[in-house]
Amino acid sequence: MIFNRNKDQRYYKKMAKIIPELASYKDATIIHIQDRASELGMSDLKSYYEYLRTNEEEQQFLKKNLTKLGSHFFRGEDWEFFKTSCLSQFAGKKDIRIWCAGCSSGQEVYSTLMSILDYVDINDVSVLATDYNDDLLAKCADASYFNMHYHEVPEKYQKYVDQGEKKFVMKPELKSVVTTKHLNLLTDEYPKDVDIIICRNVLKFFSIDVIDSIHVRFADSLRSGGFLFVSADDDEKNKHSEFVRNPEKLGMSQVEDRSIFRKN
């Protein structure tokens, strides 16, 4: 399918009247929708728009797959720093509240939980895992992963999993402190009094204005001294699309030039 900016943007805007969330996404999302149209054997976005307009099942599919990405355990170069320099500051504390926003299938949920257990007792931690894709939320709650990903779990944390013939699953004591909840970052109310927010490889799909508004709400959700952990894109052009712009205006500061921000 050949990209026609004016024509495709026109139909993209029409689609946003059917699925309002689209208006908050970057125009680059058009490419993903083009891929979907091609997958269905359509040659242009006009054909896909006509299909989408009359097909409620496709509307639901598109809503659920706009930001659907794979996830991994202990992902990214900032993870070790996050654990040793940020999570360690909660050593000995109680009632630690963690929110994994856009939790996908849960790998970062359990990576965070296993990491903080180096410093606190499991009874002093609660984790809220949210996503707007209910299929992914179910996978997070199930906490069962194919053995091909077992190598991503450091040996010191393998005590927290039970490994089977094809899959490994998080032990019941970990799953017991994780609550999953459907939550749309664009429209739903955010939790309050949170110590740690993990939201990685989610915000980059939104426009800059929407990202800024989400950052404001994240800052409001955090307790004083709490941390927000986001991602730097792999693409150098968009490297800092998830970073908090002007964090001082939100009462936050960037931690050592990392993809981590702390509420003052």
Side-chain angles (χ1 to χ4, degrees):
M1 183 184 293
I2 298 175
F3 178 71
N4 182 314
R5 177 170 295 278
N6 291 332
K7 183 178 179 182
D8 286 346
Q9 284 184 332
R10 182 166 71 252
Y11 285 105
Y12 183 73
K13 290 178 180 178
K14 286 187 175 183
M15 286 182 235
K17 293 181 179 179
I18 302 171
I19 303 175
E21 293 96 324
L22 283 175
S24 298
Y25 286 79
K26 296 177 180 177
D27 284 350
T29 311
I30 293 175
I31 304 300
H32 300 297
I33 296 176
Q34 283 181 315
D35 289 343
R36 175 60 177 167
S38 296
E39 182 182 325
L40 295 171
M42 299 172 188
S43 59
D44 54 40
L45 282 192
K46 178 181 178 181
S47 299
Y48 182 72
Y49 163 70
E50 295 295 342
Y51 175 71
L52 183 71
R53 185 171 60 87
T54 58
N55 191 314
E56 187 173 344
E57 185 176 341
E58 183 65 17
Q59 292 172 23
Q60 294 304 316
F61 175 88
L62 191 58
K63 287 180 181 180
K64 291 168 64 175
N65 288 278
L66 284 170
T67 61
K68 189 173 182 179
L69 291 172
S71 188
H72 301 277
F73 291 94
F74 302 93
R75 174 174 56 177
E77 61 182 19
D78 279 346
W79 192 273
E80 186 63 26
F81 176 89
F82 174 65
K83 184 184 74 170
T84 57
S85 298
C86 302
L87 295 184
S88 62
Q89 297 189 33
F90 293 94
K93 294 186 178 180
K94 299 183 182 297
D95 187 28
I96 301 166
R97 301 180 184 181
I98 301 171
W99 175 25
C100 290
C103 65
S104 186
S105 45
Q107 288 90 330
E108 287 190 334
V109 172
Y110 296 103
S111 297
T112 307
L113 182 52
M114 288 186 282
S115 294
I116 202 168
L117 292 182
D118 285 348
Y119 310 107
V120 301
D121 186 89
I122 193 169
N123 295 317
D124 295 321
V125 182
S126 62
V127 183
L128 175 64
T130 70
D131 205 288
Y132 82 119
N133 185 314
D134 291 333
D135 292 337
L136 292 176
L137 280 175
K139 291 180 179 179
C140 177
D142 184 56
S144 177
Y145 306 96
F146 286 106
N147 282 338
M148 62 183 292
H149 297 292
Y150 188 71
H151 72 279
E152 298 173 2
V153 181
E155 185 176 356
K156 66 177 294 187
Y157 298 127
Q158 290 173 4
K159 63 183 179 180
Y160 293 120
V161 308
D162 292 319
Q163 189 174 24
E165 183 178 348
K166 294 182 179 180
K167 290 186 174 184
F168 65 96
V169 62
M170 296 295 148
K171 287 186 178 292
E173 54 264 37
L174 266 70
K175 294 167 66 173
S176 68
V177 300
V178 176
T179 300
T180 56
K181 180 182 179 181
H182 180 101
L183 189 146
N184 188 323
L185 289 172
L186 300 178
T187 59
D188 293 338
E189 184 177 353
Y190 288 11
K192 300 296 184 183
D193 297 322
V194 178
D195 295 290
I196 301 159
I197 299 175
I198 313 289
C199 186
R200 308 179 72 213
N201 291 317
V202 176
L203 301 186
K204 67 181 183 180
F205 290 95
F206 300 127
S207 64
I208 291 297
D209 288 345
V210 172
I211 293 172
D212 288 346
S213 68
I214 290 174
H215 285 157
V216 171
R217 298 182 69 190
F218 278 161
D220 188 51
S221 291
L222 284 170
R223 289 171 169 168
S224 296
F227 292 95
L228 168 63
F229 190 11
V230 295
S231 281
D233 288 351
D234 294 332
D235 180 2
E236 283 296 319
K237 182 179 178 181
N238 299 309
K239 185 175 181 180
H240 300 301
S241 67
E242 295 201 350
F243 279 29
V244 180
R245 298 192 299 168
N246 303 313
E248 64 281 354
K249 291 185 178 180
L250 303 182
M252 303 180 76
S253 56
Q254 188 175 3
V255 180
E256 294 192 19
D257 200 33
R258 305 274 182 167
S259 56
I260 302 167
F261 297 82
R262 189 174 195 184
K263 187 169 182 177
N264 301 328

PDB file of all heavy atoms in Angstrom, residues 93 95-96 113-114 116-127 160 171-178:
ATOM      1  N   LYS A  93      10.698  -0.111  54.358  1.00  0.00           N
ATOM      2  CA  LYS A  93       9.433   0.635  54.403  1.00  0.00           C
ATOM      3  C   LYS A  93       8.244  -0.304  54.227  1.00  0.00           C
ATOM      4  O   LYS A  93       8.387  -1.432  53.777  1.00  0.00           O
ATOM      5  CB  LYS A  93       9.427   1.717  53.324  1.00  0.00           C
ATOM      6  CG  LYS A  93      10.459   2.809  53.574  1.00  0.00           C
ATOM      7  CD  LYS A  93      10.340   3.942  52.577  1.00  0.00           C
ATOM      8  CE  LYS A  93      11.353   5.041  52.881  1.00  0.00           C
ATOM      9  NZ  LYS A  93      11.249   6.176  51.916  1.00  0.00           N
ATOM     10  N   ASP A  95       3.796  -0.614  53.220  1.00  0.00           N
ATOM     11  CA  ASP A  95       2.729  -0.074  52.380  1.00  0.00           C
ATOM     12  C   ASP A  95       3.292   0.587  51.121  1.00  0.00           C
ATOM     13  O   ASP A  95       2.977   1.737  50.797  1.00  0.00           O
ATOM     14  CB  ASP A  95       1.887   0.932  53.163  1.00  0.00           C
ATOM     15  CG  ASP A  95       0.654   1.390  52.377  1.00  0.00           C
ATOM     16  OD1 ASP A  95       0.165   0.614  51.538  1.00  0.00           O
ATOM     17  OD2 ASP A  95       0.212   2.546  52.599  1.00  0.00           O
ATOM     18  N   ILE A  96       4.116  -0.144  50.400  1.00  0.00           N
ATOM     19  CA  ILE A  96       4.699   0.349  49.159  1.00  0.00           C
ATOM     20  C   ILE A  96       3.742   0.024  48.016  1.00  0.00           C
ATOM     21  O   ILE A  96       3.384  -1.136  47.800  1.00  0.00           O
ATOM     22  CB  ILE A  96       6.075  -0.299  48.898  1.00  0.00           C
ATOM     23  CG1 ILE A  96       7.019   0.022  50.056  1.00  0.00           C
ATOM     24  CG2 ILE A  96       6.656   0.189  47.573  1.00  0.00           C
ATOM     25  CD1 ILE A  96       8.255  -0.833  50.063  1.00  0.00           C
ATOM     26  N   LEU A 113       8.411  -6.438  40.917  1.00  0.00           N
ATOM     27  CA  LEU A 113       8.103  -7.079  42.194  1.00  0.00           C
ATOM     28  C   LEU A 113       9.284  -7.910  42.691  1.00  0.00           C
ATOM     29  O   LEU A 113       9.675  -7.806  43.869  1.00  0.00           O
ATOM     30  CB  LEU A 113       6.854  -7.945  42.045  1.00  0.00           C
ATOM     31  CG  LEU A 113       6.352  -8.672  43.297  1.00  0.00           C
ATOM     32  CD1 LEU A 113       6.181  -7.714  44.464  1.00  0.00           C
ATOM     33  CD2 LEU A 113       5.056  -9.407  42.987  1.00  0.00           C
ATOM     34  N   MET A 114       9.866  -8.733  41.820  1.00  0.00           N
ATOM     35  CA  MET A 114      11.011  -9.541  42.240  1.00  0.00           C
ATOM     36  C   MET A 114      12.177  -8.656  42.674  1.00  0.00           C
ATOM     37  O   MET A 114      12.879  -8.966  43.646  1.00  0.00           O
ATOM     38  CB  MET A 114      11.435 -10.479  41.108  1.00  0.00           C
ATOM     39  CG  MET A 114      10.468 -11.624  40.856  1.00  0.00           C
ATOM     40  SD  MET A 114      11.063 -12.845  39.631  1.00  0.00           S
ATOM     41  CE  MET A 114      10.743 -11.964  38.093  1.00  0.00           C
ATOM     42  N   ILE A 116      12.130  -5.507  43.943  1.00  0.00           N
ATOM     43  CA  ILE A 116      11.954  -4.785  45.207  1.00  0.00           C
ATOM     44  C   ILE A 116      11.988  -5.732  46.404  1.00  0.00           C
ATOM     45  O   ILE A 116      12.256  -5.319  47.541  1.00  0.00           O
ATOM     46  CB  ILE A 116      10.660  -3.938  45.184  1.00  0.00           C
ATOM     47  CG1 ILE A 116      10.762  -2.811  46.222  1.00  0.00           C
ATOM     48  CG2 ILE A 116       9.426  -4.804  45.405  1.00  0.00           C
ATOM     49  CD1 ILE A 116       9.698  -1.747  46.102  1.00  0.00           C
ATOM     50  N   LEU A 117      11.759  -7.030  46.153  1.00  0.00           N
ATOM     51  CA  LEU A 117      11.825  -7.998  47.248  1.00  0.00           C
ATOM     52  C   LEU A 117      13.254  -8.217  47.740  1.00  0.00           C
ATOM     53  O   LEU A 117      13.464  -8.888  48.750  1.00  0.00           O
ATOM     54  CB  LEU A 117      11.193  -9.328  46.822  1.00  0.00           C
ATOM     55  CG  LEU A 117       9.674  -9.284  46.608  1.00  0.00           C
ATOM     56  CD1 LEU A 117       9.140 -10.657  46.233  1.00  0.00           C
ATOM     57  CD2 LEU A 117       8.955  -8.757  47.847  1.00  0.00           C
ATOM     58  N   ASP A 118      14.231  -7.639  47.056  1.00  0.00           N
ATOM     59  CA  ASP A 118      15.600  -7.609  47.586  1.00  0.00           C
ATOM     60  C   ASP A 118      15.679  -6.731  48.825  1.00  0.00           C
ATOM     61  O   ASP A 118      16.622  -6.854  49.617  1.00  0.00           O
ATOM     62  CB  ASP A 118      16.575  -7.057  46.538  1.00  0.00           C
ATOM     63  CG  ASP A 118      16.887  -8.049  45.431  1.00  0.00           C
ATOM     64  OD1 ASP A 118      16.541  -9.236  45.571  1.00  0.00           O
ATOM     65  OD2 ASP A 118      17.488  -7.634  44.423  1.00  0.00           O
ATOM     66  N   TYR A 119      14.690  -5.823  48.981  1.00  0.00           N
ATOM     67  CA  TYR A 119      14.787  -4.803  50.023  1.00  0.00           C
ATOM     68  C   TYR A 119      13.638  -4.813  51.026  1.00  0.00           C
ATOM     69  O   TYR A 119      13.782  -4.241  52.114  1.00  0.00           O
ATOM     70  CB  TYR A 119      14.851  -3.407  49.366  1.00  0.00           C
ATOM     71  CG  TYR A 119      15.883  -3.312  48.284  1.00  0.00           C
ATOM     72  CD1 TYR A 119      15.518  -3.262  46.935  1.00  0.00           C
ATOM     73  CD2 TYR A 119      17.247  -3.292  48.586  1.00  0.00           C
ATOM     74  CE1 TYR A 119      16.467  -3.176  45.935  1.00  0.00           C
ATOM     75  CE2 TYR A 119      18.208  -3.213  47.592  1.00  0.00           C
ATOM     76  CZ  TYR A 119      17.813  -3.160  46.276  1.00  0.00           C
ATOM     77  OH  TYR A 119      18.760  -3.086  45.267  1.00  0.00           O
ATOM     78  N   VAL A 120      12.511  -5.412  50.675  1.00  0.00           N
ATOM     79  CA  VAL A 120      11.351  -5.371  51.569  1.00  0.00           C
ATOM     80  C   VAL A 120      10.676  -6.729  51.621  1.00  0.00           C
ATOM     81  O   VAL A 120      10.911  -7.600  50.775  1.00  0.00           O
ATOM     82  CB  VAL A 120      10.325  -4.307  51.107  1.00  0.00           C
ATOM     83  CG1 VAL A 120      10.959  -2.921  51.062  1.00  0.00           C
ATOM     84  CG2 VAL A 120       9.733  -4.680  49.760  1.00  0.00           C
ATOM     85  N   ASP A 121       9.799  -6.887  52.601  1.00  0.00           N
ATOM     86  CA  ASP A 121       9.009  -8.098  52.711  1.00  0.00           C
ATOM     87  C   ASP A 121       7.813  -8.030  51.753  1.00  0.00           C
ATOM     88  O   ASP A 121       7.240  -6.955  51.538  1.00  0.00           O
ATOM     89  CB  ASP A 121       8.506  -8.254  54.153  1.00  0.00           C
ATOM     90  CG  ASP A 121       7.792  -9.572  54.377  1.00  0.00           C
ATOM     91  OD1 ASP A 121       8.462 -10.554  54.722  1.00  0.00           O
ATOM     92  OD2 ASP A 121       6.557  -9.605  54.192  1.00  0.00           O
ATOM     93  N   ILE A 122       7.444  -9.159  51.196  1.00  0.00           N
ATOM     94  CA  ILE A 122       6.366  -9.174  50.212  1.00  0.00           C
ATOM     95  C   ILE A 122       5.039  -8.678  50.787  1.00  0.00           C
ATOM     96  O   ILE A 122       4.199  -8.128  50.071  1.00  0.00           O
ATOM     97  CB  ILE A 122       6.210 -10.595  49.614  1.00  0.00           C
ATOM     98  CG1 ILE A 122       5.321 -10.528  48.359  1.00  0.00           C
ATOM     99  CG2 ILE A 122       5.653 -11.576  50.650  1.00  0.00           C
ATOM    100  CD1 ILE A 122       5.325 -11.803  47.554  1.00  0.00           C
ATOM    101  N   ASN A 123       4.844  -8.829  52.085  1.00  0.00           N
ATOM    102  CA  ASN A 123       3.610  -8.370  52.718  1.00  0.00           C
ATOM    103  C   ASN A 123       3.514  -6.855  52.795  1.00  0.00           C
ATOM    104  O   ASN A 123       2.454  -6.314  53.140  1.00  0.00           O
ATOM    105  CB  ASN A 123       3.491  -8.964  54.121  1.00  0.00           C
ATOM    106  CG  ASN A 123       3.350 -10.474  54.096  1.00  0.00           C
ATOM    107  OD1 ASN A 123       2.611 -11.010  53.280  1.00  0.00           O
ATOM    108  ND2 ASN A 123       4.071 -11.157  54.975  1.00  0.00           N
ATOM    109  N   ASP A 124       4.616  -6.165  52.487  1.00  0.00           N
ATOM    110  CA  ASP A 124       4.623  -4.706  52.548  1.00  0.00           C
ATOM    111  C   ASP A 124       4.487  -4.063  51.168  1.00  0.00           C
ATOM    112  O   ASP A 124       4.663  -2.847  51.027  1.00  0.00           O
ATOM    113  CB  ASP A 124       5.924  -4.215  53.217  1.00  0.00           C
ATOM    114  CG  ASP A 124       6.019  -4.646  54.661  1.00  0.00           C
ATOM    115  OD1 ASP A 124       4.971  -4.621  55.340  1.00  0.00           O
ATOM    116  OD2 ASP A 124       7.118  -5.033  55.113  1.00  0.00           O
ATOM    117  N   VAL A 125       4.177  -4.886  50.146  1.00  0.00           N
ATOM    118  CA  VAL A 125       4.098  -4.394  48.772  1.00  0.00           C
ATOM    119  C   VAL A 125       2.748  -4.754  48.161  1.00  0.00           C
ATOM    120  O   VAL A 125       2.235  -5.852  48.374  1.00  0.00           O
ATOM    121  CB  VAL A 125       5.213  -5.012  47.895  1.00  0.00           C
ATOM    122  CG1 VAL A 125       5.153  -4.444  46.476  1.00  0.00           C
ATOM    123  CG2 VAL A 125       6.579  -4.768  48.492  1.00  0.00           C
ATOM    124  N   SER A 126       2.180  -3.825  47.387  1.00  0.00           N
ATOM    125  CA  SER A 126       1.016  -4.127  46.549  1.00  0.00           C
ATOM    126  C   SER A 126       1.279  -3.570  45.157  1.00  0.00           C
ATOM    127  O   SER A 126       1.876  -2.499  45.005  1.00  0.00           O
ATOM    128  CB  SER A 126      -0.266  -3.526  47.130  1.00  0.00           C
ATOM    129  OG  SER A 126      -0.184  -2.121  47.190  1.00  0.00           O
ATOM    130  N   VAL A 127       0.842  -4.310  44.147  1.00  0.00           N
ATOM    131  CA  VAL A 127       1.078  -3.912  42.767  1.00  0.00           C
ATOM    132  C   VAL A 127      -0.249  -3.843  42.024  1.00  0.00           C
ATOM    133  O   VAL A 127      -1.024  -4.801  42.024  1.00  0.00           O
ATOM    134  CB  VAL A 127       2.013  -4.906  42.041  1.00  0.00           C
ATOM    135  CG1 VAL A 127       2.301  -4.424  40.614  1.00  0.00           C
ATOM    136  CG2 VAL A 127       3.320  -5.098  42.806  1.00  0.00           C
ATOM    137  N   TYR A 160      11.557 -17.580  42.393  1.00  0.00           N
ATOM    138  CA  TYR A 160      10.187 -17.080  42.430  1.00  0.00           C
ATOM    139  C   TYR A 160       9.290 -17.700  41.356  1.00  0.00           C
ATOM    140  O   TYR A 160       8.134 -17.297  41.220  1.00  0.00           O
ATOM    141  CB  TYR A 160      10.178 -15.560  42.253  1.00  0.00           C
ATOM    142  CG  TYR A 160      10.791 -14.798  43.401  1.00  0.00           C
ATOM    143  CD1 TYR A 160      11.898 -13.960  43.196  1.00  0.00           C
ATOM    144  CD2 TYR A 160      10.275 -14.897  44.686  1.00  0.00           C
ATOM    145  CE1 TYR A 160      12.457 -13.245  44.241  1.00  0.00           C
ATOM    146  CE2 TYR A 160      10.835 -14.181  45.741  1.00  0.00           C
ATOM    147  CZ  TYR A 160      11.924 -13.363  45.512  1.00  0.00           C
ATOM    148  OH  TYR A 160      12.485 -12.649  46.544  1.00  0.00           O
ATOM    149  N   LYS A 171       5.245 -17.824  41.168  1.00  0.00           N
ATOM    150  CA  LYS A 171       4.734 -18.512  42.350  1.00  0.00           C
ATOM    151  C   LYS A 171       3.513 -17.773  42.913  1.00  0.00           C
ATOM    152  O   LYS A 171       3.380 -16.548  42.765  1.00  0.00           O
ATOM    153  CB  LYS A 171       5.829 -18.629  43.404  1.00  0.00           C
ATOM    154  CG  LYS A 171       6.906 -19.655  43.054  1.00  0.00           C
ATOM    155  CD  LYS A 171       7.888 -19.834  44.185  1.00  0.00           C
ATOM    156  CE  LYS A 171       8.936 -20.894  43.848  1.00  0.00           C
ATOM    157  NZ  LYS A 171       8.353 -22.256  43.770  1.00  0.00           N
ATOM    158  N   PRO A 172       2.622 -18.513  43.569  1.00  0.00           N
ATOM    159  CA  PRO A 172       1.374 -17.918  44.081  1.00  0.00           C
ATOM    160  C   PRO A 172       1.594 -16.718  44.994  1.00  0.00           C
ATOM    161  O   PRO A 172       0.791 -15.773  44.991  1.00  0.00           O
ATOM    162  CB  PRO A 172       0.725 -19.079  44.838  1.00  0.00           C
ATOM    163  CG  PRO A 172       1.245 -20.307  44.163  1.00  0.00           C
ATOM    164  CD  PRO A 172       2.658 -19.973  43.777  1.00  0.00           C
ATOM    165  N   GLU A 173       2.677 -16.723  45.791  1.00  0.00           N
ATOM    166  CA  GLU A 173       2.878 -15.611  46.709  1.00  0.00           C
ATOM    167  C   GLU A 173       3.127 -14.293  45.965  1.00  0.00           C
ATOM    168  O   GLU A 173       2.794 -13.214  46.464  1.00  0.00           O
ATOM    169  CB  GLU A 173       4.030 -15.893  47.684  1.00  0.00           C
ATOM    170  CG  GLU A 173       5.350 -16.282  47.023  1.00  0.00           C
ATOM    171  CD  GLU A 173       5.533 -17.792  46.954  1.00  0.00           C
ATOM    172  OE1 GLU A 173       4.528 -18.502  46.724  1.00  0.00           O
ATOM    173  OE2 GLU A 173       6.683 -18.241  47.127  1.00  0.00           O
ATOM    174  N   LEU A 174       3.721 -14.366  44.763  1.00  0.00           N
ATOM    175  CA  LEU A 174       3.895 -13.151  43.964  1.00  0.00           C
ATOM    176  C   LEU A 174       2.570 -12.724  43.349  1.00  0.00           C
ATOM    177  O   LEU A 174       2.191 -11.548  43.422  1.00  0.00           O
ATOM    178  CB  LEU A 174       4.936 -13.374  42.857  1.00  0.00           C
ATOM    179  CG  LEU A 174       6.374 -12.954  43.186  1.00  0.00           C
ATOM    180  CD1 LEU A 174       6.972 -13.888  44.226  1.00  0.00           C
ATOM    181  CD2 LEU A 174       7.233 -12.924  41.937  1.00  0.00           C
ATOM    182  N   LYS A 175       1.863 -13.667  42.773  1.00  0.00           N
ATOM    183  CA  LYS A 175       0.596 -13.345  42.125  1.00  0.00           C
ATOM    184  C   LYS A 175      -0.420 -12.782  43.120  1.00  0.00           C
ATOM    185  O   LYS A 175      -1.288 -11.978  42.753  1.00  0.00           O
ATOM    186  CB  LYS A 175       0.043 -14.597  41.445  1.00  0.00           C
ATOM    187  CG  LYS A 175       0.902 -15.089  40.289  1.00  0.00           C
ATOM    188  CD  LYS A 175       0.530 -16.475  39.829  1.00  0.00           C
ATOM    189  CE  LYS A 175      -0.836 -16.546  39.212  1.00  0.00           C
ATOM    190  NZ  LYS A 175      -1.125 -17.875  38.622  1.00  0.00           N
ATOM    191  N   SER A 176      -0.288 -13.161  44.388  1.00  0.00           N
ATOM    192  CA  SER A 176      -1.275 -12.749  45.392  1.00  0.00           C
ATOM    193  C   SER A 176      -1.221 -11.254  45.700  1.00  0.00           C
ATOM    194  O   SER A 176      -2.203 -10.702  46.215  1.00  0.00           O
ATOM    195  CB  SER A 176      -1.060 -13.540  46.691  1.00  0.00           C
ATOM    196  OG  SER A 176       0.157 -13.173  47.318  1.00  0.00           O
ATOM    197  N   VAL A 177      -0.106 -10.587  45.409  1.00  0.00           N
ATOM    198  CA  VAL A 177      -0.013  -9.154  45.715  1.00  0.00           C
ATOM    199  C   VAL A 177      -0.217  -8.294  44.466  1.00  0.00           C
ATOM    200  O   VAL A 177      -0.067  -7.072  44.512  1.00  0.00           O
ATOM    201  CB  VAL A 177       1.337  -8.805  46.381  1.00  0.00           C
ATOM    202  CG1 VAL A 177       1.496  -9.560  47.680  1.00  0.00           C
ATOM    203  CG2 VAL A 177       2.511  -9.055  45.456  1.00  0.00           C
ATOM    204  N   VAL A 178      -0.559  -8.925  43.346  1.00  0.00           N
ATOM    205  CA  VAL A 178      -0.793  -8.203  42.090  1.00  0.00           C
ATOM    206  C   VAL A 178      -2.294  -8.159  41.799  1.00  0.00           C
ATOM    207  O   VAL A 178      -2.969  -9.188  41.772  1.00  0.00           O
ATOM    208  CB  VAL A 178      -0.056  -8.872  40.911  1.00  0.00           C
ATOM    209  CG1 VAL A 178      -0.401  -8.172  39.600  1.00  0.00           C
ATOM    210  CG2 VAL A 178       1.454  -8.848  41.139  1.00  0.00           C
TER     211      VAL A 178
END
